[in-house]
Amino acid sequence: MPQNANAATVAVTPAKVQSPLLLDNFQNVNITGTPNVTTLGIAASVALKTTPARVGRASVIVAGSAAGSVNDCATTAAAGTANALAVLPNTVGNYAIDAYTATGLVVVPGTGMTVAVTWE
């Protein structure tokens, strides 16, 4: 039983400010601080989130014939080189991005590419 008035899902920073704990999809404390949503099988441009987000990793499952990108925008039409956070090379592999977006999160796979992305 807690001995203070803090809620179970709230942490207190050293400056005595309450901050919500990161929770995973099962409402368990996410102690690793890694993004907790995974979207699999992305083969066409998709807006994963239309508000600020955090991108963890991208895995290129099928390489395709052209590079793709992870963009900081709210719609697939707005995705471009000016708002690209990361380039997804047309090489199968797992790529750490670990970045925050200000507007939204759009993934644009390259031609013939299939990717999976972790985000929150």
Side-chain angles (χ1 to χ4, degrees), residues 13-97:
T13 67
K16 306 291 187 221
V17 176
Q18 288 190 351
S19 174
L21 293 173
L22 293 174
L23 301 177
D24 65 14
N25 293 337
F26 303 100
Q27 300 305 302
N28 297 316
V29 175
N30 184 350
I31 59 171
T32 62
T34 57
N36 58 18
V37 177
T38 302
T39 302
L40 304 172
I42 301 170
S45 297
V46 62
L48 295 178
K49 194 169 181 192
T50 58
T51 58
R54 178 175 174 216
V55 187
R57 300 184 78 78
S59 295
V60 176
I61 309 301
V62 176
S65 60
S69 64
V70 175
N71 300 77
D72 182 356
C73 54
T75 65
T76 57
T81 55
N83 56 27
L85 287 174
V87 173
L88 300 174
N90 56 331
T91 304
V92 172
N94 195 11
Y95 303 95
I97 298 170

